[in-house]
PDB file of all heavy atoms in Angstrom:
ATOM      1  N   PRO A  34     306.872 177.163  91.964  1.00  0.00           N
ATOM      2  CA  PRO A  34     306.710 176.099  90.974  1.00  0.00           C
ATOM      3  C   PRO A  34     306.068 174.834  91.531  1.00  0.00           C
ATOM      4  O   PRO A  34     305.362 174.143  90.825  1.00  0.00           O
ATOM      5  CB  PRO A  34     308.133 175.824  90.504  1.00  0.00           C
ATOM      6  CG  PRO A  34     308.994 176.278  91.629  1.00  0.00           C
ATOM      7  CD  PRO A  34     308.261 177.406  92.278  1.00  0.00           C
ATOM      8  N   GLY A  35     306.267 174.492  92.795  1.00  0.00           N
ATOM      9  CA  GLY A  35     305.771 173.221  93.326  1.00  0.00           C
ATOM     10  C   GLY A  35     304.528 173.378  94.157  1.00  0.00           C
ATOM     11  O   GLY A  35     304.315 172.639  95.102  1.00  0.00           O
ATOM     12  N   ARG A  36     303.694 174.329  93.837  1.00  0.00           N
ATOM     13  CA  ARG A  36     302.522 174.596  94.666  1.00  0.00           C
ATOM     14  C   ARG A  36     301.477 173.512  94.468  1.00  0.00           C
ATOM     15  O   ARG A  36     301.195 173.098  93.347  1.00  0.00           O
ATOM     16  CB  ARG A  36     301.945 175.961  94.314  1.00  0.00           C
ATOM     17  CG  ARG A  36     300.843 176.370  95.261  1.00  0.00           C
ATOM     18  CD  ARG A  36     300.529 177.799  95.142  1.00  0.00           C
ATOM     19  NE  ARG A  36     299.893 178.042  93.845  1.00  0.00           N
ATOM     20  CZ  ARG A  36     299.465 179.230  93.479  1.00  0.00           C
ATOM     21  NH1 ARG A  36     299.666 180.255  94.257  1.00  0.00           N
ATOM     22  NH2 ARG A  36     298.885 179.397  92.313  1.00  0.00           N
ATOM     23  N   ALA A  37     300.886 173.073  95.575  1.00  0.00           N
ATOM     24  CA  ALA A  37     299.872 172.022  95.521  1.00  0.00           C
ATOM     25  C   ALA A  37     298.552 172.610  95.050  1.00  0.00           C
ATOM     26  O   ALA A  37     298.301 173.805  95.175  1.00  0.00           O
ATOM     27  CB  ALA A  37     299.692 171.395  96.899  1.00  0.00           C
ATOM     28  N   GLN A  38     297.695 171.740  94.523  1.00  0.00           N
ATOM     29  CA  GLN A  38     296.405 172.175  94.033  1.00  0.00           C
ATOM     30  C   GLN A  38     295.529 172.557  95.218  1.00  0.00           C
ATOM     31  O   GLN A  38     295.438 171.842  96.209  1.00  0.00           O
ATOM     32  CB  GLN A  38     295.766 171.045  93.240  1.00  0.00           C
ATOM     33  CG  GLN A  38     294.501 171.452  92.535  1.00  0.00           C
ATOM     34  CD  GLN A  38     293.997 170.348  91.646  1.00  0.00           C
ATOM     35  OE1 GLN A  38     294.632 169.330  91.521  1.00  0.00           O
ATOM     36  NE2 GLN A  38     292.853 170.570  91.037  1.00  0.00           N
ATOM     37  N   ALA A  39     294.836 173.712  95.131  1.00  0.00           N
ATOM     38  CA  ALA A  39     294.053 174.217  96.251  1.00  0.00           C
ATOM     39  C   ALA A  39     292.753 173.459  96.441  1.00  0.00           C
ATOM     40  O   ALA A  39     292.294 173.288  97.555  1.00  0.00           O
ATOM     41  CB  ALA A  39     293.762 175.701  96.048  1.00  0.00           C
ATOM     42  N   PHE A  40     292.140 172.982  95.351  1.00  0.00           N
ATOM     43  CA  PHE A  40     290.862 172.301  95.450  1.00  0.00           C
ATOM     44  C   PHE A  40     290.970 170.937  94.777  1.00  0.00           C
ATOM     45  O   PHE A  40     291.740 170.753  93.846  1.00  0.00           O
ATOM     46  CB  PHE A  40     289.766 173.117  94.767  1.00  0.00           C
ATOM     47  CG  PHE A  40     289.539 174.442  95.410  1.00  0.00           C
ATOM     48  CD1 PHE A  40     290.027 175.603  94.853  1.00  0.00           C
ATOM     49  CD2 PHE A  40     288.854 174.529  96.610  1.00  0.00           C
ATOM     50  CE1 PHE A  40     289.829 176.817  95.455  1.00  0.00           C
ATOM     51  CE2 PHE A  40     288.651 175.743  97.221  1.00  0.00           C
ATOM     52  CZ  PHE A  40     289.138 176.893  96.652  1.00  0.00           C
ATOM     53  N   PRO A  41     290.179 169.960  95.188  1.00  0.00           N
ATOM     54  CA  PRO A  41     290.214 168.650  94.535  1.00  0.00           C
ATOM     55  C   PRO A  41     289.653 168.769  93.122  1.00  0.00           C
ATOM     56  O   PRO A  41     288.935 169.713  92.799  1.00  0.00           O
ATOM     57  CB  PRO A  41     289.326 167.777  95.420  1.00  0.00           C
ATOM     58  CG  PRO A  41     288.472 168.718  96.167  1.00  0.00           C
ATOM     59  CD  PRO A  41     289.253 169.983  96.310  1.00  0.00           C
ATOM     60  N   PRO A  42     289.949 167.809  92.248  1.00  0.00           N
ATOM     61  CA  PRO A  42     289.447 167.866  90.879  1.00  0.00           C
ATOM     62  C   PRO A  42     287.929 167.851  90.854  1.00  0.00           C
ATOM     63  O   PRO A  42     287.274 167.283  91.720  1.00  0.00           O
ATOM     64  CB  PRO A  42     290.008 166.610  90.219  1.00  0.00           C
ATOM     65  CG  PRO A  42     290.992 166.056  91.157  1.00  0.00           C
ATOM     66  CD  PRO A  42     290.799 166.673  92.480  1.00  0.00           C
ATOM     67  N   VAL A  43     287.360 168.481  89.850  1.00  0.00           N
ATOM     68  CA  VAL A  43     285.917 168.601  89.738  1.00  0.00           C
ATOM     69  C   VAL A  43     285.381 167.433  88.922  1.00  0.00           C
ATOM     70  O   VAL A  43     285.933 167.073  87.892  1.00  0.00           O
ATOM     71  CB  VAL A  43     285.570 169.938  89.048  1.00  0.00           C
ATOM     72  CG1 VAL A  43     284.074 170.064  88.860  1.00  0.00           C
ATOM     73  CG2 VAL A  43     286.126 171.097  89.829  1.00  0.00           C
ATOM     74  N   ARG A  44     284.288 166.835  89.374  1.00  0.00           N
ATOM     75  CA  ARG A  44     283.655 165.760  88.612  1.00  0.00           C
ATOM     76  C   ARG A  44     282.844 166.403  87.493  1.00  0.00           C
ATOM     77  O   ARG A  44     282.060 167.305  87.730  1.00  0.00           O
ATOM     78  CB  ARG A  44     282.741 164.926  89.501  1.00  0.00           C
ATOM     79  CG  ARG A  44     283.485 164.072  90.474  1.00  0.00           C
ATOM     80  CD  ARG A  44     282.520 163.002  91.003  1.00  0.00           C
ATOM     81  NE  ARG A  44     283.221 162.087  91.866  1.00  0.00           N
ATOM     82  CZ  ARG A  44     283.834 160.994  91.435  1.00  0.00           C
ATOM     83  NH1 ARG A  44     283.824 160.692  90.179  1.00  0.00           N
ATOM     84  NH2 ARG A  44     284.463 160.210  92.283  1.00  0.00           N
ATOM     85  N   THR A  45     283.040 165.905  86.319  1.00  0.00           N
ATOM     86  CA  THR A  45     282.297 166.417  85.171  1.00  0.00           C
ATOM     87  C   THR A  45     281.582 165.269  84.491  1.00  0.00           C
ATOM     88  O   THR A  45     281.968 164.112  84.624  1.00  0.00           O
ATOM     89  CB  THR A  45     283.239 167.086  84.149  1.00  0.00           C
ATOM     90  OG1 THR A  45     284.195 166.116  83.719  1.00  0.00           O
ATOM     91  CG2 THR A  45     283.953 168.268  84.767  1.00  0.00           C
ATOM     92  N   GLN A  46     280.540 165.586  83.751  1.00  0.00           N
ATOM     93  CA  GLN A  46     279.847 164.571  82.961  1.00  0.00           C
ATOM     94  C   GLN A  46     280.293 164.735  81.524  1.00  0.00           C
ATOM     95  O   GLN A  46     280.247 165.832  80.972  1.00  0.00           O
ATOM     96  CB  GLN A  46     278.341 164.765  83.045  1.00  0.00           C
ATOM     97  CG  GLN A  46     277.706 163.990  84.147  1.00  0.00           C
ATOM     98  CD  GLN A  46     276.191 163.944  83.970  1.00  0.00           C
ATOM     99  OE1 GLN A  46     275.636 164.691  83.205  1.00  0.00           O
ATOM    100  NE2 GLN A  46     275.557 163.057  84.701  1.00  0.00           N
ATOM    101  N   THR A  47     280.729 163.658  80.929  1.00  0.00           N
ATOM    102  CA  THR A  47     281.154 163.708  79.538  1.00  0.00           C
ATOM    103  C   THR A  47     280.265 162.795  78.725  1.00  0.00           C
ATOM    104  O   THR A  47     279.752 161.787  79.219  1.00  0.00           O
ATOM    105  CB  THR A  47     282.612 163.259  79.383  1.00  0.00           C
ATOM    106  OG1 THR A  47     282.738 161.937  79.888  1.00  0.00           O
ATOM    107  CG2 THR A  47     283.548 164.183  80.131  1.00  0.00           C
ATOM    108  N   LEU A  48     280.094 163.129  77.491  1.00  0.00           N
ATOM    109  CA  LEU A  48     279.283 162.333  76.591  1.00  0.00           C
ATOM    110  C   LEU A  48     280.226 161.626  75.633  1.00  0.00           C
ATOM    111  O   LEU A  48     280.940 162.271  74.864  1.00  0.00           O
ATOM    112  CB  LEU A  48     278.321 163.237  75.827  1.00  0.00           C
ATOM    113  CG  LEU A  48     277.323 162.551  74.929  1.00  0.00           C
ATOM    114  CD1 LEU A  48     276.399 161.676  75.769  1.00  0.00           C
ATOM    115  CD2 LEU A  48     276.514 163.583  74.171  1.00  0.00           C
ATOM    116  N   THR A  49     280.299 160.316  75.749  1.00  0.00           N
ATOM    117  CA  THR A  49     281.174 159.557  74.854  1.00  0.00           C
ATOM    118  C   THR A  49     280.433 159.310  73.551  1.00  0.00           C
ATOM    119  O   THR A  49     279.266 158.903  73.574  1.00  0.00           O
ATOM    120  CB  THR A  49     281.612 158.239  75.502  1.00  0.00           C
ATOM    121  OG1 THR A  49     280.453 157.500  75.850  1.00  0.00           O
ATOM    122  CG2 THR A  49     282.453 158.479  76.730  1.00  0.00           C
ATOM    123  N   PRO A  50     281.075 159.572  72.439  1.00  0.00           N
ATOM    124  CA  PRO A  50     280.369 159.435  71.160  1.00  0.00           C
ATOM    125  C   PRO A  50     279.966 157.999  70.860  1.00  0.00           C
ATOM    126  O   PRO A  50     278.970 157.755  70.206  1.00  0.00           O
ATOM    127  CB  PRO A  50     281.366 159.943  70.136  1.00  0.00           C
ATOM    128  CG  PRO A  50     282.523 160.462  70.874  1.00  0.00           C
ATOM    129  CD  PRO A  50     282.383 160.102  72.289  1.00  0.00           C
ATOM    130  N   SER A  51     280.731 157.003  71.317  1.00  0.00           N
ATOM    131  CA  SER A  51     280.417 155.612  70.968  1.00  0.00           C
ATOM    132  C   SER A  51     279.176 155.118  71.699  1.00  0.00           C
ATOM    133  O   SER A  51     278.332 154.466  71.115  1.00  0.00           O
ATOM    134  CB  SER A  51     281.612 154.715  71.257  1.00  0.00           C
ATOM    135  OG  SER A  51     281.868 154.752  72.641  1.00  0.00           O
ATOM    136  N   ALA A  52     279.056 155.409  72.979  1.00  0.00           N
ATOM    137  CA  ALA A  52     277.942 154.878  73.758  1.00  0.00           C
ATOM    138  C   ALA A  52     276.725 155.776  73.670  1.00  0.00           C
ATOM    139  O   ALA A  52     275.602 155.309  73.739  1.00  0.00           O
ATOM    140  CB  ALA A  52     278.353 154.693  75.209  1.00  0.00           C
ATOM    141  N   GLY A  53     276.931 157.078  73.620  1.00  0.00           N
ATOM    142  CA  GLY A  53     275.811 157.994  73.527  1.00  0.00           C
ATOM    143  C   GLY A  53     275.139 158.266  74.856  1.00  0.00           C
ATOM    144  O   GLY A  53     274.113 158.902  74.912  1.00  0.00           O
ATOM    145  N   THR A  54     275.701 157.791  75.970  1.00  0.00           N
ATOM    146  CA  THR A  54     275.125 158.035  77.289  1.00  0.00           C
ATOM    147  C   THR A  54     276.116 158.821  78.114  1.00  0.00           C
ATOM    148  O   THR A  54     277.326 158.660  77.959  1.00  0.00           O
ATOM    149  CB  THR A  54     274.803 156.715  78.011  1.00  0.00           C
ATOM    150  OG1 THR A  54     276.016 155.985  78.165  1.00  0.00           O
ATOM    151  CG2 THR A  54     273.791 155.902  77.246  1.00  0.00           C
ATOM    152  N   PRO A  55     275.634 159.679  78.978  1.00  0.00           N
ATOM    153  CA  PRO A  55     276.564 160.439  79.803  1.00  0.00           C
ATOM    154  C   PRO A  55     277.225 159.540  80.838  1.00  0.00           C
ATOM    155  O   PRO A  55     276.599 158.645  81.390  1.00  0.00           O
ATOM    156  CB  PRO A  55     275.686 161.491  80.478  1.00  0.00           C
ATOM    157  CG  PRO A  55     274.296 161.021  80.327  1.00  0.00           C
ATOM    158  CD  PRO A  55     274.248 160.079  79.165  1.00  0.00           C
ATOM    159  N   SER A  56     278.494 159.774  81.083  1.00  0.00           N
ATOM    160  CA  SER A  56     279.214 159.020  82.109  1.00  0.00           C
ATOM    161  C   SER A  56     279.980 159.989  82.972  1.00  0.00           C
ATOM    162  O   SER A  56     280.473 160.998  82.488  1.00  0.00           O
ATOM    163  CB  SER A  56     280.177 158.016  81.468  1.00  0.00           C
ATOM    164  OG  SER A  56     281.158 158.709  80.728  1.00  0.00           O
ATOM    165  N   ALA A  57     280.077 159.697  84.247  1.00  0.00           N
ATOM    166  CA  ALA A  57     280.790 160.571  85.168  1.00  0.00           C
ATOM    167  C   ALA A  57     282.265 160.247  85.090  1.00  0.00           C
ATOM    168  O   ALA A  57     282.669 159.095  85.176  1.00  0.00           O
ATOM    169  CB  ALA A  57     280.291 160.368  86.594  1.00  0.00           C
ATOM    170  N   ALA A  58     283.072 161.278  84.879  1.00  0.00           N
ATOM    171  CA  ALA A  58     284.518 161.083  84.794  1.00  0.00           C
ATOM    172  C   ALA A  58     285.187 162.051  85.738  1.00  0.00           C
ATOM    173  O   ALA A  58     284.688 163.137  85.976  1.00  0.00           O
ATOM    174  CB  ALA A  58     284.999 161.318  83.371  1.00  0.00           C
ATOM    175  N   LEU A  59     286.324 161.676  86.226  1.00  0.00           N
ATOM    176  CA  LEU A  59     287.071 162.529  87.144  1.00  0.00           C
ATOM    177  C   LEU A  59     288.171 163.212  86.344  1.00  0.00           C
ATOM    178  O   LEU A  59     289.308 162.815  86.377  1.00  0.00           O
ATOM    179  CB  LEU A  59     287.632 161.699  88.289  1.00  0.00           C
ATOM    180  CG  LEU A  59     288.396 162.440  89.366  1.00  0.00           C
ATOM    181  CD1 LEU A  59     287.475 163.443  90.029  1.00  0.00           C
ATOM    182  CD2 LEU A  59     288.930 161.477  90.388  1.00  0.00           C
ATOM    183  N   ASP A  60     287.781 164.234  85.590  1.00  0.00           N
ATOM    184  CA  ASP A  60     288.716 165.001  84.766  1.00  0.00           C
ATOM    185  C   ASP A  60     289.652 164.091  83.996  1.00  0.00           C
ATOM    186  O   ASP A  60     290.872 164.173  84.104  1.00  0.00           O
ATOM    187  CB  ASP A  60     289.540 165.975  85.633  1.00  0.00           C
ATOM    188  CG  ASP A  60     288.754 167.220  85.948  1.00  0.00           C
ATOM    189  OD1 ASP A  60     287.773 167.486  85.237  1.00  0.00           O
ATOM    190  OD2 ASP A  60     289.123 167.922  86.901  1.00  0.00           O
ATOM    191  N   ALA A  61     289.127 163.230  83.222  1.00  0.00           N
ATOM    192  CA  ALA A  61     289.952 162.306  82.452  1.00  0.00           C
ATOM    193  C   ALA A  61     290.354 162.987  81.150  1.00  0.00           C
ATOM    194  O   ALA A  61     289.519 163.181  80.268  1.00  0.00           O
ATOM    195  CB  ALA A  61     289.188 161.026  82.164  1.00  0.00           C
TER     196      ALA A  61
END
Side-chain angles (χ1 to χ4, degrees):
R36 188 165 69 178
Q38 188 174 356
F40 297 103
V43 177
R44 289 197 175 271
T45 59
Q46 268 194 345
T47 58
L48 185 63
T49 57
S51 63
T54 60
S56 63
L59 182 61
D60 280 341

